[in-house]
Amino acid sequence: MEYVKQAITTGASNLTVMQFNIITLFPEMFGDPFNASILKRAQEKSLIKIELHNLRDYCKDKHRVTDDLPYGGGVGMVMKPEPLITAIEAIKTSQPEVRTLLMTPQGKRFEQNDAVRLAQYSFLTLVCCRYEGVDERVRSFVDEEVSIGDYILTGGELPSMVVIEAIARMIPGVLGDANSLLDESFTQSMLEAPHYTRPRVFKDMEVPEVLLSGNHAEIERWRQKQALKRTKERRPDLLSKV
Ligand code: ADE
């Protein structure tokens, strides 16, 4: 919970700049998701910077080829090592402290504690590959391999957006109200209690009486009980982590 306290006491007065570098064949995919809401504001406030690196710019051949046939045969193409490693190394030259992540379904499953941990770095590179495969030698040039879950996507672009948003939210000043971090599901290894807003009755469904009582201690007790009940029902695995 240390990071939450830090976020609250530091606030926006102590600007933390974190740079995300993304190596991708599809930089155009990142436009809209990074130009809205929290990530847009975080960039405007210089809390985070996102730099897109088009992998083709790191190819040395005329046709800017990034993949090739697999040795030993088989279906699909394999991403060539040279452009990827050239891009990774170029970023390391200008940002020696950078931590490099390879987005792959073979990686360790990304969780909230990884977002907290990775938010401590000032520079992160996320390498997006096509799912079919990357030359094995690329692996020795990255620090971690990250998966966002046990399913296959076409490439690492969407996973890298997920990871960047989860990390950016942990950077002090990025969320308007740092206190909201305290309540969030997973921050305390529990799901959140149900939320309600007006109207008081909607299609015969009523807001629980206790929330209208104005008794803050009572409301807090109810929320804790509901959070525990919900976690037991939906994600009992989380309780073993508490
Ligand atoms: N690339 C394709 N699928 C992925 C996944 N589930 N996580 C991370 N990178 C991926």
Side-chain angles (χ1 to χ4, degrees):
M1 294 296 288
E2 207 39 51
Y3 73 96
V4 174
K5 287 195 210 109
Q6 191 198 340
I8 291 166
T9 53
T10 311
S13 58
N14 184 0
L15 290 188
T16 311
V17 177
M18 170 145 186
Q19 174 152 346
F20 295 97
N21 312 290
I22 303 165
I23 301 174
T24 173
L25 276 170
F26 301 98
E28 66 278 11
M29 282 180 73
F30 293 84
D32 287 346
F34 287 165
N35 279 319
S37 186
I38 295 236
L39 292 180
K40 181 179 184 205
R41 254 180 290 129
Q43 290 173 87
E44 286 169 353
K45 290 201 261 174
S46 300
L47 294 169
I48 64 167
K49 186 172 171 198
I50 297 170
E51 210 163 86
L52 292 161
H53 295 258
N54 189 333
L55 185 59
R56 292 206 195 279
D57 294 341
Y58 294 89
C59 294
K60 297 197 176 90
D61 61 303
K62 193 167 112 203
H63 299 291
R64 309 213 295 168
V65 176
T66 56
D67 56 5
D68 206 340
L69 296 166
Y71 272 121
V75 288
M77 301 291 273
V78 175
M79 289 187 77
K80 289 160 70 68
E82 299 97 323
L84 280 168
I85 293 170
T86 307
I88 292 169
E89 294 285 85
I91 295 167
K92 278 186 195 163
T93 305
S94 59
Q95 299 162 23
E97 323 93 288
V98 70
R99 186 137 186 104
T100 306
L101 316 178
L102 176 69
M103 307 312 297
T104 163
Q106 297 187 9
K108 178 188 167 289
R109 176 110 51 94
F110 184 78
E111 292 185 351
Q112 188 64 28
N113 58 5
D114 296 301
V116 173
R117 177 177 59 81
L118 291 168
Q120 308 301 318
Y121 289 91
S122 301
F123 300 95
L124 286 180
T125 295
L126 294 95
V127 184
C128 308
C129 290
R130 299 284 84 197
Y131 149 66
E132 275 160 9
V134 52
D135 187 289
E136 190 64 19
R137 290 163 290 190
V138 172
R139 298 206 136 90
S140 48
F141 289 80
V142 305
D143 300 302
E144 301 182 27
E145 298 185 27
V146 177
S147 164
I148 61 161
D150 291 340
Y151 40 83
I152 304 295
L153 300 167
T154 316
E157 282 76 14
L158 290 172
S160 73
M161 291 179 213
V162 168
V163 164
I164 288 173
E165 154 124 17
I167 295 171
R169 300 174 85 261
M170 295 297 114
I171 296 169
V174 167
L175 291 185
D177 178 6
N179 284 295
S180 61
L181 277 178
L182 282 170
D183 288 337
E184 283 194 348
S185 296
F186 304 111
T187 299
Q188 317 214 16
S189 294
M190 286 250 257
L191 301 183
E192 282 181 49
H195 300 291
Y196 294 90
T197 186
R198 285 184 287 184
R200 190 174 165 171
V201 182
F202 179 71
K203 290 191 186 288
D204 290 339
M205 293 179 286
E206 287 187 28
V207 173
E209 203 61 40
V210 60
L211 296 178
L212 312 169
S213 69
N215 183 334
H216 296 296
E218 196 66 24
I219 291 171
E220 190 47 36
R221 260 197 303 280
W222 179 84
R223 285 195 170 135
Q224 281 180 11
K225 232 167 103 181
Q226 292 295 317
L228 185 61
K229 178 168 174 276
R230 188 158 272 204
T231 312
K232 269 186 187 159
E233 283 166 4
R234 300 183 184 198
R235 293 293 307 275
D237 57 301
L238 291 177
L239 291 172
S240 58
K241 291 187 190 171
V242 178

